[in-house]
Amino acid sequence: MTLAALAGLSALSACAGFEPEYRKPGAQRLTGPELSTLLGGHTLSIVNARGKSYLNRFSKDGSIVISGGKGNEYGHWTVSDDRYCLTLEIDPRQQCMEIYKLPDGRYQMVNADGSLRNTFTVD
């Protein structure tokens, strides 16, 4: 029994190394005003959770162009309750995410279920 318990504790500590960076000390969740300043008029260089890269171009008027492997996708963005919300023309369902600033200057978007959506820098 003791050996099994030690093995279980060892597995748990190994899993702790896989904790997303946004959950680690020093990561800071951005507020609504911070999100508006970060996104409006800027381009994000994004790597999603599957390792695919793309660019998001945010206009101050609330429009967005996403460029990647599928060509361009268009939509609208807004900030609501300290979350970034996106609605694409090809999919009218609104998706809202939290954004965290990491200690190294990168950012992470987090889905409503707490899963990591992507990591990005601001160009």
Short mmCIF file of all heavy atoms in Angstrom, two decimals, residues 2-54:
data_model
loop_
_atom_site.label_atom_id
_atom_site.label_comp_id
_atom_site.label_asym_id
_atom_site.label_seq_id
_atom_site.Cartn_x
_atom_site.Cartn_y
_atom_site.Cartn_z
N THR A 2 1.90 1.30 0.82
CA THR A 2 2.73 2.50 0.93
C THR A 2 3.42 2.77 -0.40
O THR A 2 3.51 3.92 -0.83
CB THR A 2 3.78 2.33 2.04
OG1 THR A 2 3.10 2.01 3.25
CG2 THR A 2 4.59 3.59 2.22
N LEU A 3 3.90 1.73 -1.08
CA LEU A 3 4.56 1.90 -2.36
C LEU A 3 3.59 2.48 -3.40
O LEU A 3 3.95 3.37 -4.16
CB LEU A 3 5.13 0.56 -2.84
CG LEU A 3 6.07 0.61 -4.02
CD1 LEU A 3 7.23 1.55 -3.73
CD2 LEU A 3 6.61 -0.77 -4.31
N ALA A 4 2.36 2.00 -3.39
CA ALA A 4 1.35 2.51 -4.32
C ALA A 4 1.05 3.98 -4.02
O ALA A 4 0.89 4.79 -4.94
CB ALA A 4 0.08 1.68 -4.22
N ALA A 5 0.98 4.34 -2.75
CA ALA A 5 0.71 5.73 -2.38
C ALA A 5 1.85 6.63 -2.84
O ALA A 5 1.62 7.73 -3.36
CB ALA A 5 0.50 5.85 -0.88
N LEU A 6 3.09 6.18 -2.66
CA LEU A 6 4.23 6.97 -3.11
C LEU A 6 4.24 7.13 -4.63
O LEU A 6 4.56 8.20 -5.14
CB LEU A 6 5.54 6.32 -2.65
CG LEU A 6 5.85 6.44 -1.16
CD1 LEU A 6 7.10 5.63 -0.81
CD2 LEU A 6 6.03 7.88 -0.77
N ALA A 7 3.88 6.09 -5.33
CA ALA A 7 3.81 6.17 -6.80
C ALA A 7 2.75 7.18 -7.22
O ALA A 7 2.95 7.96 -8.15
CB ALA A 7 3.51 4.79 -7.39
N GLY A 8 1.63 7.18 -6.52
CA GLY A 8 0.57 8.13 -6.83
C GLY A 8 1.00 9.57 -6.58
O GLY A 8 0.74 10.46 -7.39
N LEU A 9 1.69 9.82 -5.47
CA LEU A 9 2.19 11.15 -5.18
C LEU A 9 3.22 11.60 -6.20
O LEU A 9 3.25 12.74 -6.62
CB LEU A 9 2.79 11.20 -3.77
CG LEU A 9 1.81 11.21 -2.62
CD1 LEU A 9 2.55 11.10 -1.29
CD2 LEU A 9 0.95 12.46 -2.64
N SER A 10 4.05 10.69 -6.63
CA SER A 10 5.06 11.01 -7.64
C SER A 10 4.39 11.41 -8.95
O SER A 10 4.80 12.35 -9.60
CB SER A 10 5.97 9.81 -7.85
OG SER A 10 6.89 10.07 -8.87
N ALA A 11 3.35 10.68 -9.33
CA ALA A 11 2.61 11.00 -10.56
C ALA A 11 1.96 12.37 -10.45
O ALA A 11 1.97 13.14 -11.40
CB ALA A 11 1.57 9.92 -10.85
N LEU A 12 1.40 12.69 -9.29
CA LEU A 12 0.77 13.99 -9.11
C LEU A 12 1.79 15.11 -9.21
O LEU A 12 1.53 16.14 -9.83
CB LEU A 12 0.07 14.06 -7.75
CG LEU A 12 -1.27 13.34 -7.65
CD1 LEU A 12 -1.79 13.42 -6.22
CD2 LEU A 12 -2.27 13.92 -8.61
N SER A 13 2.95 14.95 -8.63
CA SER A 13 3.95 16.01 -8.71
C SER A 13 4.46 16.16 -10.14
O SER A 13 4.77 17.26 -10.57
CB SER A 13 5.10 15.75 -7.74
OG SER A 13 5.80 14.59 -8.09
N ALA A 14 4.53 15.09 -10.89
CA ALA A 14 4.93 15.18 -12.30
C ALA A 14 3.89 15.95 -13.10
O ALA A 14 4.22 16.74 -13.97
CB ALA A 14 5.13 13.79 -12.89
N CYS A 15 2.61 15.75 -12.79
CA CYS A 15 1.54 16.46 -13.48
C CYS A 15 1.60 17.95 -13.19
O CYS A 15 1.24 18.77 -14.01
CB CYS A 15 0.17 15.92 -13.08
SG CYS A 15 -0.15 14.27 -13.72
N ALA A 16 2.06 18.33 -12.01
CA ALA A 16 2.13 19.74 -11.65
C ALA A 16 3.05 20.50 -12.61
O ALA A 16 2.85 21.68 -12.84
CB ALA A 16 2.61 19.90 -10.21
N GLY A 17 4.02 19.83 -13.19
CA GLY A 17 4.90 20.47 -14.16
C GLY A 17 4.19 20.84 -15.44
O GLY A 17 4.67 21.65 -16.20
N PHE A 18 3.04 20.26 -15.69
CA PHE A 18 2.27 20.53 -16.90
C PHE A 18 1.20 21.59 -16.67
O PHE A 18 0.38 21.83 -17.52
CB PHE A 18 1.62 19.24 -17.42
CG PHE A 18 2.64 18.25 -17.89
CD1 PHE A 18 2.86 17.08 -17.19
CD2 PHE A 18 3.40 18.48 -19.02
CE1 PHE A 18 3.81 16.16 -17.61
CE2 PHE A 18 4.35 17.57 -19.45
CZ PHE A 18 4.55 16.41 -18.74
N GLU A 19 1.22 22.22 -15.52
CA GLU A 19 0.24 23.26 -15.23
C GLU A 19 0.42 24.41 -16.22
O GLU A 19 1.54 24.85 -16.48
CB GLU A 19 0.45 23.76 -13.80
CG GLU A 19 -0.55 24.79 -13.37
CD GLU A 19 -0.35 25.19 -11.93
OE1 GLU A 19 0.79 25.24 -11.46
OE2 GLU A 19 -1.36 25.44 -11.28
N PRO A 20 -0.68 24.91 -16.80
CA PRO A 20 -0.57 26.02 -17.76
C PRO A 20 0.10 27.23 -17.10
O PRO A 20 -0.07 27.49 -15.91
CB PRO A 20 -2.02 26.34 -18.12
CG PRO A 20 -2.80 25.14 -17.73
CD PRO A 20 -2.06 24.49 -16.61
N GLU A 21 0.84 27.97 -17.88
CA GLU A 21 1.59 29.11 -17.35
C GLU A 21 0.66 30.16 -16.74
O GLU A 21 1.04 30.82 -15.78
CB GLU A 21 2.44 29.72 -18.45
CG GLU A 21 3.58 28.81 -18.86
CD GLU A 21 4.39 29.39 -19.98
OE1 GLU A 21 5.16 30.33 -19.71
OE2 GLU A 21 4.25 28.92 -21.12
N TYR A 22 -0.56 30.31 -17.27
CA TYR A 22 -1.44 31.35 -16.73
C TYR A 22 -1.88 31.05 -15.30
O TYR A 22 -2.34 31.95 -14.59
CB TYR A 22 -2.66 31.56 -17.64
CG TYR A 22 -3.75 30.52 -17.52
CD1 TYR A 22 -4.78 30.68 -16.59
CD2 TYR A 22 -3.76 29.40 -18.34
CE1 TYR A 22 -5.78 29.73 -16.48
CE2 TYR A 22 -4.77 28.46 -18.23
CZ TYR A 22 -5.77 28.63 -17.30
OH TYR A 22 -6.76 27.70 -17.19
N ARG A 23 -1.70 29.81 -14.84
CA ARG A 23 -2.06 29.44 -13.47
C ARG A 23 -0.88 29.56 -12.50
O ARG A 23 -1.04 29.37 -11.31
CB ARG A 23 -2.58 28.01 -13.43
CG ARG A 23 -3.93 27.86 -14.07
CD ARG A 23 -4.47 26.48 -13.86
NE ARG A 23 -5.79 26.35 -14.45
CZ ARG A 23 -6.36 25.21 -14.75
NH1 ARG A 23 -5.72 24.08 -14.51
NH2 ARG A 23 -7.55 25.18 -15.29
N LYS A 24 0.29 29.86 -13.02
CA LYS A 24 1.49 29.92 -12.18
C LYS A 24 1.64 31.31 -11.57
O LYS A 24 1.09 32.29 -12.08
CB LYS A 24 2.72 29.58 -13.03
CG LYS A 24 2.72 28.12 -13.47
CD LYS A 24 3.96 27.78 -14.26
CE LYS A 24 3.95 26.32 -14.68
NZ LYS A 24 5.10 25.97 -15.49
N PRO A 25 2.39 31.40 -10.46
CA PRO A 25 2.61 32.71 -9.82
C PRO A 25 3.21 33.71 -10.81
O PRO A 25 4.03 33.36 -11.65
CB PRO A 25 3.61 32.39 -8.71
CG PRO A 25 3.42 30.94 -8.43
CD PRO A 25 3.05 30.31 -9.74
N GLY A 26 2.76 34.93 -10.71
CA GLY A 26 3.27 36.00 -11.57
C GLY A 26 2.39 36.28 -12.77
O GLY A 26 2.48 37.36 -13.37
N ALA A 27 1.53 35.34 -13.16
CA ALA A 27 0.60 35.59 -14.26
C ALA A 27 -0.51 36.50 -13.74
O ALA A 27 -0.97 36.36 -12.61
CB ALA A 27 0.02 34.29 -14.79
N GLN A 28 -0.94 37.44 -14.58
CA GLN A 28 -1.93 38.42 -14.15
C GLN A 28 -3.09 38.48 -15.14
O GLN A 28 -2.87 38.70 -16.34
CB GLN A 28 -1.26 39.79 -14.05
CG GLN A 28 -2.17 40.89 -13.61
CD GLN A 28 -1.43 42.22 -13.54
OE1 GLN A 28 -0.41 42.43 -14.17
NE2 GLN A 28 -1.98 43.14 -12.77
N ARG A 29 -4.31 38.27 -14.64
CA ARG A 29 -5.50 38.36 -15.48
C ARG A 29 -5.76 39.83 -15.80
O ARG A 29 -5.75 40.68 -14.92
CB ARG A 29 -6.70 37.75 -14.77
CG ARG A 29 -7.93 37.78 -15.64
CD ARG A 29 -9.09 37.10 -15.01
NE ARG A 29 -10.26 37.30 -15.84
CZ ARG A 29 -11.49 37.15 -15.42
NH1 ARG A 29 -11.74 36.77 -14.18
NH2 ARG A 29 -12.50 37.38 -16.23
N LEU A 30 -6.01 40.12 -17.08
CA LEU A 30 -6.25 41.49 -17.50
C LEU A 30 -7.70 41.89 -17.28
O LEU A 30 -8.62 41.08 -17.39
CB LEU A 30 -5.88 41.65 -18.98
CG LEU A 30 -4.43 41.36 -19.35
CD1 LEU A 30 -4.20 41.64 -20.83
CD2 LEU A 30 -3.47 42.16 -18.50
N THR A 31 -7.90 43.17 -17.01
CA THR A 31 -9.22 43.74 -16.82
C THR A 31 -9.79 44.19 -18.17
O THR A 31 -9.05 44.26 -19.16
CB THR A 31 -9.17 44.95 -15.88
OG1 THR A 31 -8.39 45.98 -16.53
CG2 THR A 31 -8.55 44.59 -14.54
N GLY A 32 -11.05 44.53 -18.19
CA GLY A 32 -11.69 45.02 -19.41
C GLY A 32 -10.95 46.18 -20.06
O GLY A 32 -10.63 46.13 -21.26
N PRO A 33 -10.64 47.26 -19.31
CA PRO A 33 -9.91 48.37 -19.92
C PRO A 33 -8.52 47.96 -20.44
O PRO A 33 -8.08 48.43 -21.49
CB PRO A 33 -9.80 49.39 -18.78
CG PRO A 33 -10.97 49.09 -17.89
CD PRO A 33 -11.13 47.60 -17.97
N GLU A 34 -7.85 47.08 -19.72
CA GLU A 34 -6.54 46.61 -20.18
C GLU A 34 -6.68 45.80 -21.46
O GLU A 34 -5.85 45.92 -22.38
CB GLU A 34 -5.88 45.74 -19.10
CG GLU A 34 -5.45 46.54 -17.88
CD GLU A 34 -5.01 45.68 -16.71
OE1 GLU A 34 -5.56 44.57 -16.53
OE2 GLU A 34 -4.12 46.14 -15.96
N LEU A 35 -7.74 45.00 -21.58
CA LEU A 35 -7.98 44.22 -22.79
C LEU A 35 -8.23 45.14 -23.99
O LEU A 35 -7.69 44.92 -25.07
CB LEU A 35 -9.17 43.28 -22.60
CG LEU A 35 -8.97 42.14 -21.61
CD1 LEU A 35 -10.29 41.41 -21.38
CD2 LEU A 35 -7.90 41.19 -22.09
N SER A 36 -9.06 46.16 -23.79
CA SER A 36 -9.37 47.09 -24.88
C SER A 36 -8.11 47.77 -25.39
O SER A 36 -7.91 47.90 -26.61
CB SER A 36 -10.37 48.14 -24.41
OG SER A 36 -11.61 47.53 -24.11
N THR A 37 -7.23 48.17 -24.48
CA THR A 37 -5.97 48.82 -24.86
C THR A 37 -5.04 47.84 -25.55
O THR A 37 -4.39 48.17 -26.55
CB THR A 37 -5.28 49.41 -23.61
OG1 THR A 37 -6.15 50.38 -23.03
CG2 THR A 37 -3.96 50.05 -23.95
N LEU A 38 -4.96 46.62 -25.04
CA LEU A 38 -4.08 45.61 -25.61
C LEU A 38 -4.47 45.23 -27.03
O LEU A 38 -3.62 45.08 -27.91
CB LEU A 38 -4.10 44.35 -24.73
CG LEU A 38 -3.27 43.17 -25.22
CD1 LEU A 38 -1.79 43.45 -25.04
CD2 LEU A 38 -3.67 41.90 -24.48
N LEU A 39 -5.77 45.08 -27.28
CA LEU A 39 -6.25 44.55 -28.55
C LEU A 39 -6.51 45.62 -29.62
O LEU A 39 -6.09 45.46 -30.76
CB LEU A 39 -7.51 43.73 -28.32
CG LEU A 39 -7.37 42.55 -27.34
CD1 LEU A 39 -8.73 41.88 -27.12
CD2 LEU A 39 -6.33 41.57 -27.81
N GLY A 40 -7.20 46.67 -29.27
CA GLY A 40 -7.64 47.66 -30.26
C GLY A 40 -6.50 48.27 -31.06
O GLY A 40 -5.61 48.90 -30.51
N GLY A 41 -6.53 48.07 -32.39
CA GLY A 41 -5.52 48.62 -33.28
C GLY A 41 -4.23 47.83 -33.34
O GLY A 41 -3.24 48.30 -33.91
N HIS A 42 -4.20 46.64 -32.76
CA HIS A 42 -2.97 45.84 -32.71
C HIS A 42 -3.13 44.50 -33.42
O HIS A 42 -4.23 44.04 -33.68
CB HIS A 42 -2.55 45.61 -31.25
CG HIS A 42 -2.18 46.87 -30.57
ND1 HIS A 42 -3.00 47.47 -29.65
CD2 HIS A 42 -1.09 47.67 -30.69
CE1 HIS A 42 -2.43 48.59 -29.22
NE2 HIS A 42 -1.27 48.73 -29.83
N THR A 43 -1.98 43.88 -33.69
CA THR A 43 -1.92 42.55 -34.30
C THR A 43 -1.29 41.59 -33.30
O THR A 43 -0.26 41.91 -32.69
CB THR A 43 -1.10 42.58 -35.60
OG1 THR A 43 -1.73 43.47 -36.51
CG2 THR A 43 -0.99 41.19 -36.22
N LEU A 44 -1.90 40.43 -33.15
CA LEU A 44 -1.37 39.40 -32.26
C LEU A 44 -0.76 38.28 -33.09
O LEU A 44 -1.37 37.83 -34.06
CB LEU A 44 -2.48 38.79 -31.40
CG LEU A 44 -3.38 39.75 -30.61
CD1 LEU A 44 -4.34 38.95 -29.74
CD2 LEU A 44 -2.58 40.73 -29.80
N SER A 45 0.42 37.85 -32.71
CA SER A 45 1.05 36.65 -33.30
C SER A 45 0.74 35.50 -32.34
O SER A 45 1.22 35.48 -31.21
CB SER A 45 2.56 36.83 -33.41
OG SER A 45 2.86 37.86 -34.32
N ILE A 46 -0.06 34.57 -32.82
CA ILE A 46 -0.65 33.54 -31.96
C ILE A 46 -0.15 32.16 -32.33
O ILE A 46 0.02 31.84 -33.51
CB ILE A 46 -2.19 33.58 -32.09
CG1 ILE A 46 -2.70 34.91 -31.54
CG2 ILE A 46 -2.84 32.40 -31.41
CD1 ILE A 46 -4.20 35.11 -31.67
N VAL A 47 0.06 31.34 -31.31
CA VAL A 47 0.29 29.91 -31.48
C VAL A 47 -0.78 29.23 -30.65
O VAL A 47 -0.85 29.42 -29.43
CB VAL A 47 1.70 29.49 -31.02
CG1 VAL A 47 1.87 27.98 -31.14
CG2 VAL A 47 2.77 30.23 -31.80
N ASN A 48 -1.64 28.43 -31.32
CA ASN A 48 -2.73 27.79 -30.57
C ASN A 48 -2.22 26.56 -29.83
O ASN A 48 -1.06 26.18 -29.92
CB ASN A 48 -3.94 27.50 -31.46
CG ASN A 48 -3.71 26.41 -32.48
OD1 ASN A 48 -2.77 25.62 -32.39
ND2 ASN A 48 -4.59 26.33 -33.46
N ALA A 49 -3.12 25.94 -29.08
CA ALA A 49 -2.75 24.80 -28.23
C ALA A 49 -2.24 23.61 -29.04
O ALA A 49 -1.57 22.73 -28.50
CB ALA A 49 -3.94 24.39 -27.36
N ARG A 50 -2.53 23.57 -30.34
CA ARG A 50 -2.05 22.48 -31.21
C ARG A 50 -0.79 22.85 -31.97
O ARG A 50 -0.35 22.11 -32.84
CB ARG A 50 -3.16 22.08 -32.18
CG ARG A 50 -4.29 21.33 -31.47
CD ARG A 50 -5.43 21.04 -32.40
NE ARG A 50 -6.44 22.05 -32.06
CZ ARG A 50 -7.38 22.46 -32.85
NH1 ARG A 50 -7.49 22.00 -34.05
NH2 ARG A 50 -8.24 23.36 -32.46
N GLY A 51 -0.23 24.04 -31.68
CA GLY A 51 1.02 24.45 -32.31
C GLY A 51 0.88 25.18 -33.63
O GLY A 51 1.88 25.48 -34.28
N LYS A 52 -0.33 25.49 -34.06
CA LYS A 52 -0.55 26.22 -35.32
C LYS A 52 -0.42 27.72 -35.08
O LYS A 52 -0.90 28.24 -34.09
CB LYS A 52 -1.91 25.90 -35.89
CG LYS A 52 -2.09 24.41 -36.17
CD LYS A 52 -2.87 24.18 -37.41
CE LYS A 52 -3.08 22.69 -37.57
NZ LYS A 52 -2.39 22.16 -38.68
N SER A 53 0.23 28.41 -36.02
CA SER A 53 0.44 29.86 -35.91
C SER A 53 -0.51 30.63 -36.81
O SER A 53 -0.82 30.18 -37.91
CB SER A 53 1.88 30.21 -36.32
OG SER A 53 2.79 29.57 -35.47
N TYR A 54 -0.92 31.79 -36.33
CA TYR A 54 -1.74 32.68 -37.14
C TYR A 54 -1.69 34.08 -36.56
O TYR A 54 -1.14 34.31 -35.49
CB TYR A 54 -3.17 32.16 -37.28
CG TYR A 54 -3.87 31.82 -35.98
CD1 TYR A 54 -4.77 32.69 -35.41
CD2 TYR A 54 -3.65 30.59 -35.34
CE1 TYR A 54 -5.41 32.38 -34.23
CE2 TYR A 54 -4.29 30.27 -34.17
CZ TYR A 54 -5.17 31.17 -33.61
OH TYR A 54 -5.81 30.86 -32.45
#
